[in-house]
mmCIF file of all heavy atoms in Angstrom:
data_model
loop_
_atom_site.group_PDB
_atom_site.id
_atom_site.type_symbol
_atom_site.label_atom_id
_atom_site.label_comp_id
_atom_site.label_asym_id
_atom_site.label_seq_id
_atom_site.Cartn_x
_atom_site.Cartn_y
_atom_site.Cartn_z
ATOM 1 N N ASN B 30 -42.499 -25.407 43.050
ATOM 2 C CA ASN B 30 -41.271 -25.799 43.741
ATOM 3 C C ASN B 30 -41.220 -25.225 45.152
ATOM 4 O O ASN B 30 -41.964 -24.315 45.501
ATOM 5 C CB ASN B 30 -40.046 -25.326 42.948
ATOM 6 C CG ASN B 30 -39.782 -26.171 41.719
ATOM 7 O OD1 ASN B 30 -40.379 -27.240 41.553
ATOM 8 N ND2 ASN B 30 -38.916 -25.699 40.844
ATOM 9 N N ASP B 31 -40.280 -25.779 45.944
ATOM 10 C CA ASP B 31 -39.985 -25.264 47.280
ATOM 11 C C ASP B 31 -38.594 -24.661 47.261
ATOM 12 O O ASP B 31 -37.662 -25.277 46.748
ATOM 13 C CB ASP B 31 -40.022 -26.394 48.319
ATOM 14 C CG ASP B 31 -41.333 -27.143 48.344
ATOM 15 O OD1 ASP B 31 -42.355 -26.575 47.912
ATOM 16 O OD2 ASP B 31 -41.333 -28.310 48.795
ATOM 17 N N LYS B 32 -38.461 -23.450 47.839
ATOM 18 C CA LYS B 32 -37.160 -22.789 47.841
ATOM 19 C C LYS B 32 -36.919 -22.083 49.169
ATOM 20 O O LYS B 32 -37.864 -21.776 49.901
ATOM 21 C CB LYS B 32 -37.070 -21.745 46.715
ATOM 22 C CG LYS B 32 -37.038 -22.347 45.316
ATOM 23 C CD LYS B 32 -35.740 -23.123 45.096
ATOM 24 C CE LYS B 32 -35.727 -23.727 43.689
ATOM 25 N NZ LYS B 32 -34.507 -24.575 43.488
ATOM 26 N N SER B 33 -35.658 -21.840 49.454
ATOM 27 C CA SER B 33 -35.277 -21.120 50.674
ATOM 28 C C SER B 33 -34.380 -19.944 50.352
ATOM 29 O O SER B 33 -33.582 -19.996 49.411
ATOM 30 C CB SER B 33 -34.539 -22.050 51.634
ATOM 31 O OG SER B 33 -35.398 -23.036 52.149
ATOM 32 N N ILE B 34 -34.532 -18.895 51.135
ATOM 33 C CA ILE B 34 -33.665 -17.721 51.059
ATOM 34 C C ILE B 34 -33.020 -17.578 52.432
ATOM 35 O O ILE B 34 -33.688 -17.722 53.459
ATOM 36 C CB ILE B 34 -34.470 -16.442 50.754
ATOM 37 C CG1 ILE B 34 -35.319 -16.622 49.495
ATOM 38 C CG2 ILE B 34 -33.533 -15.253 50.584
ATOM 39 C CD1 ILE B 34 -36.283 -15.462 49.272
ATOM 40 N N LYS B 35 -31.713 -17.278 52.423
ATOM 41 C CA LYS B 35 -31.001 -17.187 53.689
ATOM 42 C C LYS B 35 -30.607 -15.751 53.986
ATOM 43 O O LYS B 35 -30.329 -14.961 53.084
ATOM 44 C CB LYS B 35 -29.763 -18.074 53.650
ATOM 45 C CG LYS B 35 -30.079 -19.551 53.515
ATOM 46 C CD LYS B 35 -28.829 -20.405 53.590
ATOM 47 C CE LYS B 35 -29.188 -21.872 53.523
ATOM 48 N NZ LYS B 35 -27.990 -22.749 53.629
ATOM 49 N N CYS B 36 -30.571 -15.428 55.271
ATOM 50 C CA CYS B 36 -30.173 -14.089 55.702
ATOM 51 C C CYS B 36 -29.285 -14.213 56.932
ATOM 52 O O CYS B 36 -29.579 -14.992 57.841
ATOM 53 C CB CYS B 36 -31.394 -13.236 56.025
ATOM 54 S SG CYS B 36 -30.958 -11.573 56.634
ATOM 55 N N GLU B 37 -28.233 -13.411 56.941
ATOM 56 C CA GLU B 37 -27.323 -13.388 58.071
ATOM 57 C C GLU B 37 -26.956 -11.955 58.391
ATOM 58 O O GLU B 37 -26.753 -11.151 57.494
ATOM 59 C CB GLU B 37 -26.049 -14.185 57.738
ATOM 60 C CG GLU B 37 -24.997 -14.153 58.832
ATOM 61 C CD GLU B 37 -23.744 -14.920 58.466
ATOM 62 O OE1 GLU B 37 -23.660 -15.445 57.338
ATOM 63 O OE2 GLU B 37 -22.828 -14.995 59.309
ATOM 64 N N GLN B 38 -26.872 -11.637 59.681
ATOM 65 C CA GLN B 38 -26.417 -10.304 60.087
ATOM 66 C C GLN B 38 -25.277 -10.451 61.095
ATOM 67 O O GLN B 38 -25.330 -11.310 61.964
ATOM 68 C CB GLN B 38 -27.581 -9.466 60.651
ATOM 69 C CG GLN B 38 -28.376 -10.084 61.785
ATOM 70 C CD GLN B 38 -27.913 -9.720 63.168
ATOM 71 O OE1 GLN B 38 -27.004 -8.902 63.346
ATOM 72 N NE2 GLN B 38 -28.525 -10.323 64.180
ATOM 73 N N ASN B 39 -24.287 -9.583 60.933
ATOM 74 C CA ASN B 39 -23.123 -9.626 61.818
ATOM 75 C C ASN B 39 -23.045 -8.386 62.698
ATOM 76 O O ASN B 39 -21.966 -7.961 63.105
ATOM 77 C CB ASN B 39 -21.836 -9.801 61.002
ATOM 78 C CG ASN B 39 -21.591 -8.649 60.041
ATOM 79 O OD1 ASN B 39 -22.318 -7.650 60.062
ATOM 80 N ND2 ASN B 39 -20.595 -8.770 59.192
ATOM 81 N N LEU B 40 -24.231 -7.820 62.991
ATOM 82 C CA LEU B 40 -24.304 -6.593 63.778
ATOM 83 C C LEU B 40 -24.561 -6.869 65.248
ATOM 84 O O LEU B 40 -24.648 -5.932 66.040
ATOM 85 C CB LEU B 40 -25.410 -5.691 63.221
ATOM 86 C CG LEU B 40 -25.189 -5.218 61.782
ATOM 87 C CD1 LEU B 40 -26.464 -4.598 61.224
ATOM 88 C CD2 LEU B 40 -24.046 -4.218 61.730
ATOM 89 N N GLY B 41 -24.756 -8.122 65.588
ATOM 90 C CA GLY B 41 -25.072 -8.455 66.968
ATOM 91 C C GLY B 41 -26.491 -8.082 67.372
ATOM 92 O O GLY B 41 -26.804 -7.980 68.557
ATOM 93 N N HIS B 42 -27.350 -7.877 66.378
ATOM 94 C CA HIS B 42 -28.734 -7.493 66.643
ATOM 95 C C HIS B 42 -29.570 -8.666 67.138
ATOM 96 O O HIS B 42 -29.283 -9.822 66.835
ATOM 97 C CB HIS B 42 -29.368 -6.913 65.382
ATOM 98 C CG HIS B 42 -28.859 -5.549 65.039
ATOM 99 N ND1 HIS B 42 -29.082 -4.971 63.806
ATOM 100 C CD2 HIS B 42 -28.168 -4.645 65.765
ATOM 101 C CE1 HIS B 42 -28.545 -3.760 63.795
ATOM 102 N NE2 HIS B 42 -27.968 -3.548 64.971
ATOM 103 N N ASP B 43 -30.623 -8.315 67.904
ATOM 104 C CA ASP B 43 -31.522 -9.344 68.424
ATOM 105 C C ASP B 43 -32.741 -9.574 67.532
ATOM 106 O O ASP B 43 -33.408 -10.591 67.669
ATOM 107 C CB ASP B 43 -32.014 -8.951 69.821
ATOM 108 C CG ASP B 43 -30.935 -9.131 70.872
ATOM 109 O OD1 ASP B 43 -30.030 -9.962 70.666
ATOM 110 O OD2 ASP B 43 -30.992 -8.448 71.906
ATOM 111 N N THR B 44 -33.079 -8.608 66.694
ATOM 112 C CA THR B 44 -34.311 -8.698 65.909
ATOM 113 C C THR B 44 -34.005 -8.724 64.420
ATOM 114 O O THR B 44 -33.191 -7.939 63.944
ATOM 115 C CB THR B 44 -35.252 -7.509 66.216
ATOM 116 O OG1 THR B 44 -35.521 -7.488 67.615
ATOM 117 C CG2 THR B 44 -36.564 -7.653 65.473
#
Side-chain angles (χ1 to χ4, degrees):
Chain B
N30 285 349
D31 304 337
K32 291 293 180 184
S33 292
I34 306 172
K35 296 184 177 182
C36 178
E37 177 181 3
Q38 54 93 5
N39 62 7
L40 297 167
H42 288 166
D43 286 335
T44 303

